[in-house]
Amino acid sequence: RTRITPELSRALEIETKIAGPAVLHQSVETHGTITANTDYTRQISARFDGVIKNVQVSLGDRVSAGATLATLESNESLRTYTITAPIGGVVSHRNANPGEQSDGRVLLEITDPVPVWAELAIFPADRAAVQIGSVVTNTPASGGAAATGTIAGFATEVGAAQTLIARVALDNSDGRFAPGTFVNASIDSGDIEVPLAVSRDGLQAFRDFTVVFAKVGDDYEVRMLELGRQDADMIEVLGGLKPGTEYVSRNSYIIKADIEKSGASHDH
């Protein structure tokens, strides 16, 4: 233990809290990949097979809905007609060149790049905690602002390491979530109430234990803890601390340093 006067404690900005019940926000942390949302992809074939007279777009071109993509001459009527874009987006596939027969194949594909999927890996141990409708905070792995979405569904096939793939619809209008990039995700899995918890900011590693420092009058004493579940701010205490104990919640490293200094001086 160590003793620090109230005046010095205030000067050092040592703050305390009372250990007691808390609500812990639980989440599943995972990662994934951004992919094009196939609900907003259109594959385009010729209405009437014929000779491709010209193609007015290239791979990667951005087009608006109704824009002319290609002109064909029908084999049957010999009339010329145009193929137009059914949606606005980017030309994501082109398999058409002037002089070729259309032959019933897909000539062009248009993909709207704004709606995208975040395809997230859910590991077997976390499956029970993740449901359709679960709220997900998605952050680009390369950095940038997060975006919130909900799980819309799951892929029918499992991924690598037996992961279940959860899909979250996101808006890529500002380019943060471009297809092919990686994303980190935090999936809300609900709240739990625990009878005793302390602030994570108050924890210190002391010798071979994780501890907090209890305030007893002007004295600060080590309490070695057995810990349980946690969230970003609080951690459950399973043993080593009584409910109602006042403990150091801010600048606890000062107490640790003072106790270690006192111990070193006593060793000499």
Side-chain angles (χ1 to χ4, degrees):
R1 66 169 61 88
T2 189
R3 173 165 292 187
I4 299 177
T5 64
E7 294 77 16
L8 182 56
S9 177
R10 286 192 293 271
L12 295 173
E13 297 183 335
I14 295 171
E15 297 178 4
T16 63
K17 290 182 178 178
I18 303 298
V23 175
L24 304 182
H25 176 70
Q26 298 295 282
S27 62
V28 172
E29 306 303 317
T30 188
H31 59 273
T33 305
I34 300 298
T35 63
N37 188 328
T38 53
D39 292 345
Y40 297 87
T41 295
R42 298 293 183 270
Q43 293 185 332
I44 304 161
S45 301
R47 295 195 310 277
F48 312 105
D49 275 333
V51 178
I52 301 170
K53 305 299 288 183
N54 62 68
V55 182
Q56 298 185 17
V57 293
S58 299
L59 194 65
D61 284 356
R62 184 176 288 273
V63 298
S64 56
T68 297
L69 304 177
T71 303
L72 285 84
E73 180 184 276
S74 170
N75 288 337
E76 292 187 4
S77 67
L78 300 182
R79 291 183 178 179
T80 300
Y81 69 95
T82 58
I83 295 176
T84 59
I87 62 171
V90 173
V91 178
S92 51
H93 175 78
R94 171 179 158 164
N95 187 25
N97 293 297
E100 297 176 344
Q101 283 283 337
S102 58
D103 288 334
R105 70 180 185 272
V106 174
L107 302 178
L108 297 158
E109 180 181 82
I110 307 294
T111 299
D112 186 342
V114 173
V116 294
W117 289 121
E119 296 195 337
L120 308 176
I122 310 300
F123 291 90
D126 296 323
R127 288 183 185 177
V130 178
Q131 309 292 332
I132 291 177
S134 294
V135 176
V136 186
T137 301
N138 307 269
T139 306
S142 58
T148 301
T150 58
I151 292 178
F154 299 94
T156 55
E157 297 182 359
V158 297
Q162 294 297 298
T163 55
L164 186 65
I165 304 301
R167 288 196 176 103
V168 179
L170 293 176
D171 185 315
N172 184 44
S173 55
D174 60 2
R176 275 182 295 167
F177 299 104
T181 60
F182 298 113
V183 63
N184 297 319
S186 178
I187 305 172
D188 186 351
S189 59
D191 295 332
I192 54 172
E193 295 184 13
V194 297
L196 183 61
V198 295
S199 168
R200 289 172 53 130
D201 290 341
L203 299 177
Q204 291 292 331
F206 185 77
R207 297 175 183 167
D208 294 328
F209 301 95
T210 300
V211 307
V212 292
F213 301 103
K215 185 176 184 298
V216 183
D218 291 343
D219 291 335
Y220 296 86
E221 302 176 350
V222 171
R223 297 288 189 269
M224 293 173 282
L225 304 180
E226 180 185 353
L227 301 173
R229 295 163 292 186
Q230 59 185 295
D231 65 10
D233 302 312
M234 304 292 290
I235 188 164
E236 181 183 19
V237 176
L238 302 176
L241 192 70
K242 293 180 179 180
T245 300
E246 185 178 5
Y247 69 96
V248 178
S249 59
R250 183 169 181 265
N251 288 337
S252 58
Y253 71 91
I254 297 172
I255 309 297
K256 174 184 175 180
D258 202 51
I259 290 177
E260 288 179 335
K261 181 177 66 176
S262 299
S265 64
H266 292 160
D267 290 340
H268 290 86

